[in-house]
Amino acid sequence: MANKIQAQVKKLFQSQLAIPIVALLILVLFNLIRDPSFFSIVIKKNNLGNTVLSGNLVSILNGASELVILSIGMTLVTSATKGQDISIGAAAAIAGSVFVKILRSGEIGAASILGGFLLACVVATIFCLFNGVLIAKFNIQPMIASLILYTAGRPIAYWINGGATPNVESPLLTYIGGFIPHIAVPTPILVVILFIILINLLLTKTTLSLYIQSVGINERAAKLNGIDPVMMKMIVFVILGLCVTMAGSINVCRIGLINHETILLDIEMDAILAVAIGGNSLGGGKFKLSGSILGAYIIQALTITLYAMKVSSTAVKAYKAVVIVIIVVAGSPVVKVWLGRMKDKLLAKTAVKSAAKVEAR
C-alpha cells in the first residue's frame, strides 16, 4: 500500500501539474507559518442579515472567479491557435456594457437579466470571432490580431452607454454578485463550479478536446485526418465569447456598475500567467484545464497574501511579477531537463554506493 501511494505521488510530481501544486503548497505553508489562522473560515452575518462564510480562503476562491473562467477560455485559445488573446479584458468590458445597457432599459428582473446576458454573449462572441477570423483565415499571429480589440474594446464599451458609468441596483444582481439568501457560499464560486463541470463534460464527452489539441500540435496533419482547423479555431473563440460574458457580467453584479476603464483591468495578463503556471505550453497543443484553474487560484492566493502582509496596492504587481517569474522559470523545459540530469546523477551515485556495500560484504 505504501509503495502504491509512493508511486502515485511520484507520478503526480512528474506530471504537468507538478509546478502549480508545488507553488500552491509553498504558498499554503508560508501563510500557515506567517499566520496560522490565515485560512480559517468564519461564519458571520452580512449587511442583509444572511449567514455567510468569510475569511481569506473564501476571498481567494471568490475573488478568482472571473480569472478562472477567463483562464479556461485562454487555455483553449492557446491550445488551438498557438498564441494568446490579449483582448479578453476589453471584450469583457464590452459584454458588461451591453449587459448594463439592457438592464437599464426597463425594470430589472429575471427575464431582463437573462436577456441582457444572452445579448451580451452574442455581442462579445461577435467581437471574439473577429479575432478568430483574423487568426484562422488570414493567419495573423493571435497577439497581433487581438491587439486591435485590446486597443479599441474599452472605448467601444464606453460608447455603448453614451460615455457614462451607470449604476445598476437590484436584489437579484446582489444575489449573483454576492450571496443567495440561505446559501452561505458566495454565488460566483457556485457559478465557477457549475461552469467547470459543464466545460469538462463538453470536452470529455465529445471529441472537441482531441480536435483542438490536434490542430494546435500539427495543423496540417489534423487537416489530413479530416479535422477542419478553421472551424476548431472558431469554436474556441465562441467559447471565449461565453467566458468573457460570464466574467464581465459577474463583475458588474459584484460592484453594481460598469466602468469601462477599470473593469477587469489587466486580467488578460493574469489569464496568460495562469495558463503558463498551470504547466500548459504557450506554444499550443496539449493542455490541462485543471492546471490553468490551479494557476488562477495561485495568482489570487498570492495577491491576498501580499495584501495581508500590508503590501501597498501599487507594489503588489511588482512582488507578483517576481514570484511569477520564479514559478514560470522553474517550470520551463530547460530547468526540467537540468533537474532530470541531477536526478539521474543522484540515482547513479546511489547505485554505485549500494554496489560498493554489496562487494564489501
Side-chain angles (χ1 to χ4, degrees):
M1 185 66 180
N3 291 335
K4 189 176 180 180
I5 295 173
Q6 188 177 1
Q8 290 292 331
V9 171
K10 185 178 179 181
K11 184 180 178 181
L12 178 64
F13 280 91
Q14 288 177 341
S15 73
Q16 182 179 326
L17 295 177
I19 295 299
I21 288 174
V22 170
L24 192 60
L25 287 174
I26 291 171
L27 266 175
V28 170
L29 288 173
F30 174 79
N31 279 300
L32 288 176
I33 293 170
R34 185 186 62 82
D35 180 7
S37 64
F38 183 82
F39 291 107
S40 61
I41 297 176
V42 297
I43 300 173
K44 67 176 188 179
K45 297 278 186 179
N46 65 3
N47 296 332
L48 300 175
N50 297 317
T51 302
V52 298
L53 298 179
S54 181
N56 288 320
L57 182 58
V58 176
S59 296
I60 291 168
L61 297 176
N62 187 26
S65 298
E66 293 96 326
L67 180 56
V68 170
I69 292 170
L70 291 174
S71 297
I72 290 172
M74 185 69 79
T75 303
L76 298 179
V77 168
T78 298
S79 175
T81 68
K82 302 178 182 179
Q84 291 73 48
D85 188 323
I86 63 170
S87 66
I88 56 174
I94 292 172
S97 292
V98 173
F99 184 55
V100 170
K101 183 79 172 179
I102 299 302
L103 293 178
R104 287 178 62 85
S105 63
E107 186 178 349
I108 298 177
S112 62
I113 291 174
L114 179 60
F117 177 81
L118 292 176
L119 184 59
C121 192
V122 170
V123 174
T125 301
I126 290 171
F127 278 99
C128 288
L129 283 174
F130 170 75
N131 290 343
V133 170
L134 293 178
I135 294 165
K137 284 288 188 180
F138 296 95
N139 294 321
I140 299 175
Q141 291 183 348
M143 196 166 286
I144 301 301
S146 58
L147 186 61
I148 300 169
L149 187 57
Y150 174 80
T151 304
R154 293 186 184 274
I156 291 171
Y158 185 66
W159 168 77
I160 288 171
N161 282 293
T165 55
N167 296 324
V168 282
E169 294 182 1
S170 168
L172 289 176
L173 296 179
T174 304
Y175 298 159
I176 296 171
F179 291 86
I180 297 172
H182 310 300
I183 297 179
V185 180
T187 308
I189 296 177
L190 302 178
V191 172
V192 168
I193 292 172
L194 179 61
F195 182 68
I196 290 173
I197 292 171
L198 292 176
I199 201 73
N200 186 60
L201 288 174
L202 175 65
L203 295 176
T204 56
K205 299 300 180 182
T206 68
T207 55
L208 184 61
S209 176
L210 176 63
Y211 286 179
I212 290 172
Q213 292 180 83
S214 299
V215 170
I217 293 169
N218 192 321
E219 189 170 318
R220 184 175 294 180
K223 194 171 184 179
L224 290 173
N225 282 281
I227 302 171
D228 186 350
V230 173
M231 179 60 70
M232 288 301 106
K233 291 175 183 178
M234 291 301 179
I235 288 174
V236 297
F237 278 101
V238 169
I239 296 173
L240 183 64
L242 173 61
C243 291
V244 299
T245 305
M246 290 182 67
S249 300
I250 289 173
N251 196 262
V252 167
C253 293
R254 276 189 197 277
I255 61 179
L257 59 84
I258 178 71
N259 186 328
H260 74 287
E261 291 183 345
T262 59
I263 180 174
L264 300 177
L265 187 63
D266 296 332
I267 194 75
E268 49 271 32
M269 300 302 122
D270 281 347
I272 294 170
L273 286 170
V275 175
I277 291 171
N280 296 294
S281 170
L282 295 182
K286 292 185 68 176
F287 67 85
K288 209 172 189 66
L289 283 184
S290 54
S292 297
I293 293 167
L294 268 177
Y297 285 121
I298 288 169
I299 291 172
Q300 186 64 23
L302 177 59
T303 303
I304 297 294
T305 299
L306 291 171
Y307 281 134
M309 294 172 66
K310 309 299 182 184
V311 175
S312 66
S313 58
T314 53
V316 162
K317 289 183 180 180
Y319 284 97
K320 280 174 63 177
V322 172
V323 175
I324 287 166
V325 165
I326 294 171
I327 294 172
V328 172
V329 169
S332 67
V334 174
V335 174
K336 286 182 178 179
V337 170
W338 180 77
L339 289 174
R341 288 174 181 171
M342 291 295 293
K343 185 184 74 172
D344 292 339
K345 286 181 180 179
L346 288 173
L347 289 175
K349 286 181 179 180
T350 303
V352 170
K353 288 181 180 179
S354 299
K357 287 181 180 180
V358 172
E359 289 178 3
R361 290 175 184 176

Coordinates of all heavy atoms in Angstrom, one line a residue, residues 237-323:
F237 N -13.1 30.4 -30.1 CA -13.4 31.8 -29.9 C -14.9 32.0 -29.5 O -15.2 33.0 -28.8 CB -13.0 32.6 -31.1 CG -11.6 33.0 -31.2 CD1 -10.7 32.2 -32.0 CD2 -11.1 34.0 -30.4 CE1 -9.4 32.5 -32.0 CE2 -9.7 34.3 -30.4 CZ -8.9 33.6 -31.2
V238 N -15.8 31.1 -29.9 CA -17.2 31.1 -29.4 C -17.2 30.8 -27.9 O -17.9 31.5 -27.2 CB -18.0 30.1 -30.2 CG1 -19.4 30.0 -29.5 CG2 -18.2 30.6 -31.6
I239 N -16.4 29.8 -27.5 CA -16.3 29.5 -26.1 C -15.7 30.7 -25.3 O -16.2 31.0 -24.2 CB -15.5 28.2 -25.8 CG1 -16.2 27.0 -26.5 CG2 -15.3 28.0 -24.4 CD1 -15.4 25.8 -26.5
L240 N -14.7 31.3 -25.9 CA -14.1 32.5 -25.3 C -15.1 33.6 -25.1 O -15.1 34.4 -24.1 CB -12.9 33.0 -26.1 CG -12.1 34.2 -25.5 CD1 -11.5 33.8 -24.2 CD2 -11.1 34.7 -26.5
G241 N -16.0 33.8 -26.1 CA -17.1 34.8 -26.0 C -18.0 34.6 -24.8 O -18.4 35.5 -24.1
L242 N -18.3 33.3 -24.6 CA -19.1 32.9 -23.4 C -18.3 33.3 -22.1 O -18.9 33.8 -21.2 CB -19.5 31.5 -23.5 CG -20.2 30.9 -22.2 CD1 -21.5 31.6 -22.0 CD2 -20.4 29.4 -22.4
C243 N -17.0 32.9 -22.1 CA -16.2 33.2 -20.9 C -16.1 34.7 -20.6 O -16.3 35.0 -19.4 CB -14.8 32.6 -21.1 SG -14.7 30.8 -21.2
V244 N -15.9 35.5 -21.6 CA -15.7 37.0 -21.3 C -17.1 37.5 -20.9 O -17.1 38.5 -20.0 CB -15.2 37.7 -22.5 CG1 -13.8 37.2 -22.9 CG2 -16.1 37.7 -23.7
T245 N -18.2 37.0 -21.4 CA -19.5 37.5 -21.0 C -19.8 37.1 -19.5 O -20.3 38.0 -18.8 CB -20.6 36.9 -21.9 OG1 -20.3 37.2 -23.2 CG2 -22.0 37.5 -21.5
M246 N -19.5 35.9 -19.2 CA -19.7 35.5 -17.8 C -18.8 36.3 -16.8 O -19.3 36.8 -15.8 CB -19.3 34.0 -17.6 CG -20.3 33.1 -18.3 SD -19.9 31.3 -18.0 CE -20.2 31.2 -16.3
A247 N -17.6 36.5 -17.2 CA -16.7 37.3 -16.3 C -17.1 38.7 -16.2 O -17.2 39.3 -15.1 CB -15.2 37.2 -16.9
G248 N -17.5 39.4 -17.3 CA -18.0 40.7 -17.3 C -19.3 40.9 -16.5 O -19.4 41.9 -15.7
S249 N -20.2 40.0 -16.7 CA -21.5 40.0 -16.0 C -21.3 39.8 -14.5 O -22.0 40.5 -13.7 CB -22.4 39.0 -16.6 OG -22.6 39.2 -18.0
I250 N -20.5 38.9 -14.1 CA -20.3 38.7 -12.7 C -19.6 39.9 -12.0 O -20.0 40.3 -10.9 CB -19.3 37.4 -12.5 CG1 -20.1 36.1 -12.8 CG2 -18.8 37.4 -11.0 CD1 -19.2 34.9 -12.8
N251 N -18.7 40.5 -12.7 CA -18.1 41.7 -12.2 C -19.0 42.9 -12.0 O -19.0 43.6 -11.1 CB -16.9 42.1 -13.1 CG -15.9 43.1 -12.4 OD1 -16.0 44.3 -12.6 ND2 -15.1 42.6 -11.5
V252 N -19.9 43.0 -13.0 CA -21.0 44.1 -12.9 C -21.9 43.8 -11.7 O -22.2 44.7 -11.0 CB -21.8 44.1 -14.2 CG1 -23.1 45.0 -14.0 CG2 -21.0 44.7 -15.4
C253 N -22.3 42.6 -11.5 CA -23.1 42.2 -10.4 C -22.4 42.4 -9.1 O -23.1 42.8 -8.1 CB -23.6 40.8 -10.5 SG -24.7 40.5 -11.9
R254 N -21.1 42.2 -9.0 CA -20.3 42.4 -7.8 C -20.4 43.9 -7.4 O -20.7 44.2 -6.2 CB -18.9 42.1 -8.0 CG -18.5 40.6 -7.9 CD -17.0 40.5 -8.0 NE -16.5 39.2 -8.3 CZ -16.3 38.3 -7.4 NH1 -16.7 38.5 -6.1 NH2 -15.9 37.1 -7.7
I255 N -20.1 44.8 -8.3 CA -19.9 46.2 -7.9 C -21.1 47.1 -8.2 O -21.1 48.2 -7.8 CB -18.6 46.8 -8.6 CG1 -18.7 46.7 -10.1 CG2 -17.4 46.0 -8.1 CD1 -17.5 47.3 -10.8
G256 N -22.0 46.6 -9.0 CA -23.3 47.3 -9.3 C -23.1 48.5 -10.3 O -23.9 49.4 -10.3
L257 N -22.1 48.4 -11.1 CA -21.9 49.5 -12.1 C -20.9 49.0 -13.2 O -20.3 47.9 -13.0 CB -21.4 50.8 -11.5 CG -20.1 50.8 -10.8 CD1 -18.9 50.9 -11.7 CD2 -20.0 51.9 -9.8
I258 N -20.8 49.7 -14.3 CA -19.9 49.4 -15.3 C -18.9 50.6 -15.5 O -19.4 51.7 -15.8 CB -20.6 49.0 -16.6 CG1 -19.6 48.7 -17.8 CG2 -21.5 50.1 -17.1 CD1 -18.8 47.4 -17.6
N259 N -17.7 50.3 -15.3 CA -16.6 51.4 -15.6 C -15.7 50.8 -16.6 O -14.9 49.9 -16.3 CB -15.9 51.7 -14.3 CG -14.9 52.9 -14.5 OD1 -14.4 53.1 -15.6 ND2 -14.8 53.7 -13.5
H260 N -15.8 51.3 -17.8 CA -15.0 50.7 -18.9 C -13.5 50.7 -18.7 O -12.8 49.9 -19.3 CB -15.4 51.4 -20.2 CG -14.8 52.8 -20.4 ND1 -15.2 53.8 -19.7 CD2 -13.7 53.2 -21.1 CE1 -14.5 54.9 -20.0 NE2 -13.6 54.6 -20.8
E261 N -13.0 51.7 -17.9 CA -11.6 51.8 -17.7 C -11.0 50.8 -16.7 O -9.9 50.4 -16.8 CB -11.3 53.2 -17.3 CG -11.5 54.3 -18.4 CD -11.1 55.7 -17.9 OE1 -10.9 55.9 -16.7 OE2 -10.9 56.6 -18.7
T262 N -11.8 50.4 -15.7 CA -11.3 49.6 -14.6 C -11.8 48.2 -14.6 O -11.2 47.4 -13.9 CB -11.6 50.3 -13.3 OG1 -13.1 50.4 -13.2 CG2 -11.0 51.7 -13.2
I263 N -12.9 47.9 -15.3 CA -13.5 46.5 -15.2 C -12.4 45.5 -15.7 O -12.0 45.6 -16.8 CB -14.8 46.4 -16.0 CG1 -15.4 45.0 -15.9 CG2 -14.6 46.9 -17.4 CD1 -16.7 44.9 -16.5
L264 N -12.1 44.6 -14.8 CA -11.2 43.5 -15.1 C -9.9 44.0 -15.8 O -9.4 43.4 -16.8 CB -11.9 42.4 -16.0 CG -13.1 41.8 -15.4 CD1 -13.7 40.8 -16.3 CD2 -12.7 41.1 -14.1
L265 N -9.4 45.1 -15.3 CA -8.1 45.7 -15.9 C -7.0 44.8 -15.7 O -6.7 44.2 -14.6 CB -7.9 47.0 -15.2 CG -6.7 47.9 -15.8 CD1 -7.0 48.3 -17.2 CD2 -6.5 49.1 -14.9
D266 N -6.2 44.5 -16.8 CA -5.0 43.7 -16.8 C -5.3 42.2 -16.6 O -4.4 41.4 -16.3 CB -4.0 44.2 -15.8 CG -3.4 45.5 -16.1 OD1 -3.4 45.9 -17.3 OD2 -3.0 46.3 -15.2
I267 N -6.6 41.8 -16.7 CA -7.0 40.4 -16.4 C -6.4 39.5 -17.4 O -6.1 38.3 -17.2 CB -8.5 40.3 -16.4 CG1 -9.0 38.9 -15.8 CG2 -9.1 40.5 -17.8 CD1 -8.8 38.8 -14.3
E268 N -6.2 40.0 -18.7 CA -5.6 39.2 -19.7 C -4.2 38.7 -19.4 O -3.8 37.5 -19.7 CB -5.6 39.9 -21.1 CG -5.0 41.3 -21.1 CD -6.0 42.3 -20.7 OE1 -7.0 42.1 -20.0 OE2 -5.9 43.5 -21.2
M269 N -3.4 39.6 -18.7 CA -2.1 39.2 -18.3 C -2.1 38.1 -17.2 O -1.3 37.1 -17.3 CB -1.3 40.4 -17.8 CG -1.1 41.5 -18.8 SD -0.3 41.0 -20.3 CE -1.6 41.4 -21.5
D270 N -3.0 38.2 -16.3 CA -3.2 37.2 -15.3 C -3.7 35.9 -15.9 O -3.2 34.8 -15.4 CB -4.1 37.6 -14.2 CG -3.5 38.6 -13.2 OD1 -2.3 38.7 -13.2 OD2 -4.2 39.3 -12.4
A271 N -4.5 35.9 -16.9 CA -5.1 34.7 -17.5 C -3.9 34.0 -18.2 O -3.8 32.8 -18.2 CB -6.2 35.1 -18.5
I272 N -3.1 34.7 -18.9 CA -2.0 34.1 -19.6 C -1.0 33.5 -18.6 O -0.5 32.4 -18.8 CB -1.2 35.2 -20.5 CG1 -2.1 35.7 -21.6 CG2 0.1 34.6 -21.1 CD1 -1.6 36.9 -22.4
L273 N -0.8 34.2 -17.5 CA 0.1 33.6 -16.5 C -0.5 32.4 -15.8 O 0.2 31.4 -15.5 CB 0.4 34.7 -15.4 CG 1.3 35.8 -15.8 CD1 1.3 36.9 -14.8 CD2 2.7 35.3 -16.0
A274 N -1.8 32.4 -15.7 CA -2.5 31.2 -15.1 C -2.3 30.0 -16.0 O -2.0 28.9 -15.5 CB -3.9 31.5 -14.9
V275 N -2.3 30.2 -17.3 CA -2.1 29.1 -18.3 C -0.7 28.6 -18.2 O -0.4 27.4 -18.1 CB -2.4 29.6 -19.7 CG1 -2.1 28.5 -20.7 CG2 -3.9 30.0 -19.9
A276 N 0.3 29.6 -18.1 CA 1.7 29.2 -18.0 C 2.0 28.5 -16.7 O 2.7 27.5 -16.7 CB 2.6 30.4 -18.2
I277 N 1.5 29.1 -15.6 CA 1.8 28.5 -14.3 C 1.2 27.1 -14.2 O 1.7 26.2 -13.5 CB 1.2 29.4 -13.1 CG1 2.0 30.7 -13.0 CG2 1.2 28.6 -11.8 CD1 1.4 31.7 -12.1
G278 N 0.1 26.9 -14.9 CA -0.6 25.6 -14.9 C 0.1 24.5 -15.7 O -0.3 23.3 -15.8
G279 N 1.3 24.8 -16.2 CA 2.1 23.8 -16.9 C 1.7 23.7 -18.4 O 2.3 22.8 -19.1
N280 N 0.8 24.5 -18.9 CA 0.4 24.4 -20.3 C 1.4 25.2 -21.2 O 1.9 26.2 -20.8 CB -1.0 25.0 -20.5 CG -2.0 24.2 -19.8 OD1 -2.3 23.1 -20.1 ND2 -2.6 24.9 -18.8
S281 N 1.7 24.6 -22.3 CA 2.6 25.3 -23.3 C 2.0 26.5 -23.9 O 0.8 26.4 -24.4 CB 3.1 24.3 -24.4 OG 3.8 25.0 -25.4
L282 N 2.6 27.6 -23.9 CA 2.1 28.8 -24.6 C 2.3 28.7 -26.1 O 1.8 29.6 -26.8 CB 2.8 30.1 -24.0 CG 2.6 30.4 -22.6 CD1 3.3 31.7 -22.2 CD2 1.1 30.5 -22.3
G283 N 2.9 27.6 -26.5 CA 3.0 27.4 -28.0 C 2.0 26.5 -28.5 O 2.0 26.1 -29.7
G284 N 0.9 26.2 -27.7 CA -0.2 25.5 -28.2 C -0.1 24.0 -28.0 O 0.9 23.5 -27.5
G285 N -1.1 23.2 -28.5 CA -1.1 21.8 -28.4 C -1.8 21.3 -27.2 O -2.9 21.7 -26.9
K286 N -1.2 20.3 -26.5 CA -1.8 19.7 -25.4 C -2.1 20.7 -24.2 O -1.3 21.6 -24.0 CB -0.9 18.5 -24.8 CG -0.8 17.3 -25.8 CD 0.0 16.2 -25.2 CE -0.8 15.6 -24.0 NZ -0.1 14.4 -23.5
F287 N -3.2 20.5 -23.6 CA -3.5 21.4 -22.4 C -4.1 20.6 -21.3 O -4.6 19.5 -21.5 CB -4.5 22.5 -22.9 CG -5.8 22.0 -23.3 CD1 -6.8 21.8 -22.4 CD2 -6.1 21.7 -24.6 CE1 -8.1 21.4 -22.7 CE2 -7.4 21.3 -25.0 CZ -8.4 21.1 -24.1
K288 N -4.1 21.2 -20.2 CA -4.8 20.6 -19.0 C -5.5 21.7 -18.3 O -4.9 22.6 -17.7 CB -3.7 20.0 -18.1 CG -4.3 18.8 -17.2 CD -3.2 18.1 -16.5 CE -3.6 16.8 -15.9 NZ -4.0 15.8 -16.8
L289 N -6.8 21.7 -18.4 CA -7.6 22.8 -17.8 C -7.4 22.9 -16.2 O -7.4 24.0 -15.7 CB -9.1 22.6 -18.0 CG -9.6 23.0 -19.4 CD1 -11.1 22.8 -19.5 CD2 -9.2 24.4 -19.9
S290 N -7.2 21.8 -15.6 CA -7.0 21.8 -14.1 C -5.8 22.6 -13.8 O -5.7 23.2 -12.7 CB -6.9 20.4 -13.6 OG -5.9 19.6 -14.3
G291 N -4.8 22.5 -14.6 CA -3.5 23.3 -14.4 C -3.8 24.8 -14.4 O -3.4 25.6 -13.6
S292 N -4.6 25.2 -15.5 CA -4.9 26.6 -15.6 C -5.8 27.1 -14.4 O -5.6 28.3 -13.9 CB -5.6 26.9 -16.9 OG -4.8 26.6 -18.0
I293 N -6.7 26.3 -14.0 CA -7.6 26.6 -12.9 C -6.7 26.8 -11.6 O -6.9 27.8 -10.8 CB -8.7 25.6 -12.7 CG1 -9.6 25.6 -13.9 CG2 -9.4 25.8 -11.4 CD1 -10.5 24.4 -14.0
L294 N -5.8 25.9 -11.4 CA -4.9 26.0 -10.2 C -4.1 27.2 -10.3 O -3.8 27.9 -9.3 CB -4.0 24.7 -10.2 CG -4.4 23.6 -9.3 CD1 -3.4 22.4 -9.4 CD2 -4.6 23.9 -7.9
G295 N -3.6 27.5 -11.5 CA -2.8 28.7 -11.8 C -3.5 30.0 -11.4 O -3.0 30.9 -10.8
A296 N -4.8 30.0 -11.7 CA -5.7 31.2 -11.4 C -5.8 31.4 -9.9 O -5.7 32.5 -9.4 CB -7.0 31.1 -12.1
Y297 N -6.0 30.3 -9.2 CA -6.1 30.4 -7.7 C -4.8 30.7 -7.1 O -4.8 31.4 -6.0 CB -6.7 29.1 -7.2 CG -8.2 28.9 -7.5 CD1 -8.7 27.8 -8.2 CD2 -9.1 29.8 -7.0 CE1 -10.0 27.7 -8.4 CE2 -10.5 29.7 -7.2 CZ -10.9 28.6 -8.0 OH -12.3 28.5 -8.2
I298 N -3.7 30.3 -7.7 CA -2.4 30.6 -7.1 C -2.2 32.1 -7.2 O -1.7 32.8 -6.3 CB -1.3 29.8 -7.9 CG1 -1.3 28.4 -7.5 CG2 0.1 30.4 -7.6 CD1 -0.4 27.5 -8.4
I299 N -2.5 32.7 -8.4 CA -2.3 34.1 -8.6 C -3.2 34.9 -7.6 O -2.7 35.9 -6.9 CB -2.7 34.5 -10.0 CG1 -1.7 34.0 -11.0 CG2 -2.8 36.1 -10.2 CD1 -2.1 34.1 -12.5
Q300 N -4.4 34.5 -7.4 CA -5.3 35.2 -6.4 C -4.8 35.0 -5.0 O -4.8 35.9 -4.2 CB -6.7 34.7 -6.6 CG -7.8 35.4 -5.7 CD -7.9 36.8 -6.1 OE1 -7.6 37.2 -7.2 NE2 -8.4 37.7 -5.2
A301 N -4.3 33.8 -4.7 CA -3.8 33.5 -3.3 C -2.6 34.4 -3.0 O -2.4 34.9 -1.9 CB -3.4 32.0 -3.2
L302 N -1.7 34.5 -4.1 CA -0.6 35.4 -3.9 C -1.0 36.8 -3.7 O -0.4 37.5 -2.8 CB 0.3 35.3 -5.2 CG 1.5 36.2 -5.2 CD1 2.5 35.8 -4.1 CD2 2.3 35.9 -6.6
T303 N -2.0 37.3 -4.4 CA -2.5 38.7 -4.2 C -3.0 38.9 -2.8 O -2.7 39.9 -2.1 CB -3.6 39.0 -5.2 OG1 -3.1 38.8 -6.6 CG2 -4.1 40.4 -5.1
I304 N -3.9 38.0 -2.3 CA -4.4 38.1 -1.0 C -3.3 38.0 0.1 O -3.3 38.8 1.1 CB -5.5 37.0 -0.7 CG1 -6.6 37.1 -1.7 CG2 -5.9 37.0 0.7 CD1 -7.5 38.3 -1.5
T305 N -2.3 37.2 -0.2 CA -1.2 37.1 0.8 C -0.4 38.4 0.9 O -0.1 38.8 2.0 CB -0.2 36.0 0.3 OG1 -0.9 34.7 0.3 CG2 1.0 35.9 1.3
L306 N -0.2 39.0 -0.3 CA 0.5 40.3 -0.3 C -0.3 41.4 0.4 O 0.3 42.2 1.2 CB 0.9 40.7 -1.7 CG 1.9 39.8 -2.4 CD1 2.0 40.2 -3.9 CD2 3.3 40.0 -1.7
Y307 N -1.6 41.4 0.2 CA -2.4 42.4 0.9 C -2.4 42.1 2.4 O -2.4 43.1 3.2 CB -3.8 42.4 0.3 CG -4.0 43.1 -1.0 CD1 -4.7 42.5 -2.0 CD2 -3.4 44.4 -1.2 CE1 -4.8 43.2 -3.3 CE2 -3.6 45.0 -2.4 CZ -4.3 44.4 -3.4 OH -4.4 45.1 -4.6
A308 N -2.4 40.9 2.8 CA -2.4 40.5 4.2 C -1.1 40.9 4.9 O -1.1 41.2 6.1 CB -2.6 39.0 4.4
M309 N 0.0 41.0 4.1 CA 1.3 41.4 4.6 C 1.4 43.0 4.5 O 2.5 43.5 4.7 CB 2.4 40.8 3.8 CG 2.4 39.3 3.9 SD 3.6 38.5 2.8 CE 5.1 39.2 3.4
K310 N 0.3 43.7 4.3 CA 0.3 45.1 4.3 C 1.1 45.7 3.1 O 1.7 46.8 3.2 CB 0.8 45.7 5.6 CG 0.2 45.1 6.8 CD -1.3 45.4 6.9 CE -2.0 44.9 8.1 NZ -3.4 45.0 8.2
V311 N 1.3 45.0 2.0 CA 2.0 45.5 0.9 C 1.0 46.4 0.1 O -0.2 46.1 -0.1 CB 2.4 44.3 -0.1 CG1 3.0 44.9 -1.4 CG2 3.4 43.4 0.6
S312 N 1.5 47.6 -0.3 CA 0.6 48.6 -0.9 C 0.2 48.0 -2.3 O 0.8 47.3 -2.9 CB 1.4 49.9 -1.1 OG 2.5 49.7 -2.0
S313 N -1.0 48.5 -2.7 CA -1.6 48.1 -3.9 C -0.7 48.4 -5.1 O -0.7 47.6 -6.1 CB -3.0 48.7 -4.1 OG -2.9 50.1 -4.1
T314 N 0.1 49.5 -5.1 CA 0.9 49.8 -6.2 C 2.2 48.9 -6.3 O 2.7 48.7 -7.3 CB 1.5 51.3 -6.0 OG1 2.0 51.4 -4.7 CG2 0.3 52.3 -6.1
A315 N 2.5 48.3 -5.1 CA 3.7 47.4 -5.1 C 3.4 46.0 -5.3 O 4.2 45.2 -5.6 CB 4.5 47.6 -3.8
V316 N 2.1 45.7 -5.2 CA 1.6 44.3 -5.3 C 2.0 43.7 -6.7 O 2.5 42.5 -6.8 CB 0.1 44.1 -5.1 CG1 -0.4 42.8 -5.7 CG2 -0.2 44.2 -3.7
K317 N 1.9 44.4 -7.8 CA 2.2 43.9 -9.1 C 3.7 43.6 -9.2 O 4.0 42.6 -9.9 CB 1.8 44.9 -10.2 CG 0.3 45.1 -10.3 CD -0.1 46.0 -11.5 CE -1.6 46.1 -11.6 NZ -2.0 47.1 -12.7
A318 N 4.5 44.4 -8.6 CA 6.0 44.1 -8.7 C 6.3 42.8 -8.0 O 7.1 42.0 -8.5 CB 6.7 45.3 -8.1
Y319 N 5.8 42.6 -6.7 CA 6.0 41.4 -6.0 C 5.5 40.2 -6.7 O 6.1 39.1 -6.8 CB 5.4 41.5 -4.6 CG 6.2 42.4 -3.6 CD1 5.8 43.7 -3.4 CD2 7.2 41.8 -2.9 CE1 6.5 44.5 -2.5 CE2 8.0 42.6 -2.0 CZ 7.6 44.0 -1.8 OH 8.3 44.7 -0.9
K320 N 4.3 40.3 -7.3 CA 3.7 39.3 -8.0 C 4.5 38.9 -9.2 O 4.7 37.7 -9.5 CB 2.3 39.7 -8.6 CG 1.2 39.5 -7.5 CD -0.1 40.1 -8.0 CE -0.7 39.3 -9.2 NZ -2.0 39.8 -9.7
A321 N 5.1 39.9 -9.9 CA 5.9 39.6 -11.1 C 7.1 38.8 -10.7 O 7.5 37.9 -11.4 CB 6.3 41.0 -11.7
V322 N 7.8 39.1 -9.6 CA 9.0 38.4 -9.2 C 8.6 37.0 -8.9 O 9.3 36.0 -9.3 CB 9.6 39.1 -7.9 CG1 10.7 38.2 -7.3 CG2 10.1 40.5 -8.2
V323 N 7.6 36.7 -8.1 CA 7.2 35.4 -7.7 C 6.8 34.6 -9.0 O 7.2 33.4 -9.1 CB 6.0 35.4 -6.7 CG1 5.5 34.0 -6.4 CG2 6.5 36.1 -5.4

